Amino acid sequence: MEMEATDVTAVWGAPLTAVHCLKCGEAHLVADVPPRCPFCLEGPIEPQPAYLPEEPPEQAVDYQVSRTELRAALERWSKPIWFRPGDMQAGVMAQRARRYLVPLWLVDGQVQAAWRADVGFDYQVVSSQDRYQDGAGWSSQEVRETRVRWEPRAGRLERRYENLPAPALEDHRKLMGRLGEYNLSQRAAYTARSITGAEATEAVAVRIPTLEPEAAWPGAETAFVQAAQAECQQAAGAD
C-alpha cells in the first residue's frame, strides 16, 4: 500500500513546501523556495513529497530576537571589519536572515526506580588569614570558604513525565554544539504564528526529522534519567 504525501499546509496551518537538497540530502519545509539549501547553503533544492505525521507540532519555542534586535546584533558583529562589502552591511544580512526551526520529539513516560546517591550540601567555613604589609605590620582578615558536605541518601521514585524532549535529528548534538542550547522551558502551544513569526512574509525553514521516534529512544531515555535525577536531588534537599 503506497503512502500519501502529507498536505503540509493544511496540517501545519501555514503555507509550507517540502524541499530536498541535491547536495547534502537534507529535507526542509520552507515558506518560500530559496535558490540554495538553507542547511548547507550550497546545493540546489527541488520540491519533494513529505511523509510526516498528520497532526501539527504540539509545542514550539517562540522567537526571542526581533528584526530590530537582529539588525543591531549584526551591526555590532560587522562593525570592526574594515572595508565591508555591500553584502556584509547589517541591513542586507538582516533582510537575508531566515528563521530556522530544529525539530524535537516530545515523549511521555512513567518512571519507577529505586535510587541511591551521594548528595552534597554547601556550608560556609570562616577562618582568619594573616597578612604583613610594609608600614602597617601584621593584620588579620576574615576569609569565608564554601565547602561541600556529602551524605548518602536512598529512596524510591514513581513519577510520570510528559513532553520530555528527545533529538529528532541524527546530527542534533553537533548542531547544538554550534548553535548553543536553547531554553526549552519557554515552550508554548504551537500555532501558525510559531512558523511565520510576527510577519507572514519572513523566510522560514523547518528541518524535517531524520530520526524516527523509535530510533530516538536513547535520547529520550537520557531525558528521563536527567528529570529523575533532578527530582531525587530536590527530594533530598541537596545543593
Side-chain angles (χ1 to χ4, degrees), residues 25-190:
E26 295 300 336
H28 293 81
L29 304 178
V30 293
D32 63 318
V33 180
R36 290 289 180 266
C37 172
F39 182 71
C40 71
L41 304 177
E42 296 182 11
I45 61 175
E46 63 180 18
Q48 171 183 287
Y51 300 91
L52 298 169
E54 292 294 334
E55 61 267 352
E58 186 174 345
Q59 297 178 337
V61 177
D62 290 337
Y63 295 110
Q64 302 295 314
V65 180
S66 67
R67 281 285 173 178
T68 301
E69 293 169 330
L70 174 61
R71 180 166 180 166
L74 291 171
E75 182 65 41
R76 290 192 300 270
W77 172 79
S78 61
K79 190 174 181 179
I81 303 175
W82 290 11
F83 309 115
R84 283 176 288 170
D87 284 351
M88 289 192 67
Q89 300 300 319
V92 176
M93 290 189 289
Q95 190 64 32
R96 291 179 176 177
R98 179 181 296 273
R99 296 184 184 275
Y100 196 86
L101 283 81
V102 178
L104 290 165
W105 296 117
L106 296 179
V107 185
D108 301 339
Q110 183 85 11
V111 174
Q112 295 179 338
W115 63 272
R116 182 176 59 189
D118 289 329
V119 296
F121 300 87
D122 295 340
Y123 67 97
Q124 297 285 322
V125 175
V126 180
S127 60
S128 297
Q129 187 176 66
D130 294 330
R131 292 183 178 180
Y132 181 81
Q133 295 179 336
D134 292 340
W138 288 93
S139 63
S140 180
Q141 292 182 335
E142 185 180 275
V143 177
R144 291 183 176 270
E145 180 183 1
T146 300
R147 295 182 182 178
V148 180
R149 182 182 71 256
W150 294 97
E151 297 181 5
R153 290 288 188 275
R156 295 192 62 83
L157 175 73
E158 183 172 346
R159 185 81 76 238
R160 177 171 178 79
Y161 298 103
E162 296 185 352
N163 291 334
L164 293 186
L169 300 172
E170 293 177 354
D171 60 340
H172 178 85
R173 296 188 185 280
K174 181 179 179 181
L175 195 60
M176 291 300 101
R178 296 170 61 185
L179 297 176
E181 295 293 337
Y182 290 83
N183 184 2
L184 299 182
S185 65
Q186 301 296 321
R187 290 176 290 175
Y190 170 83

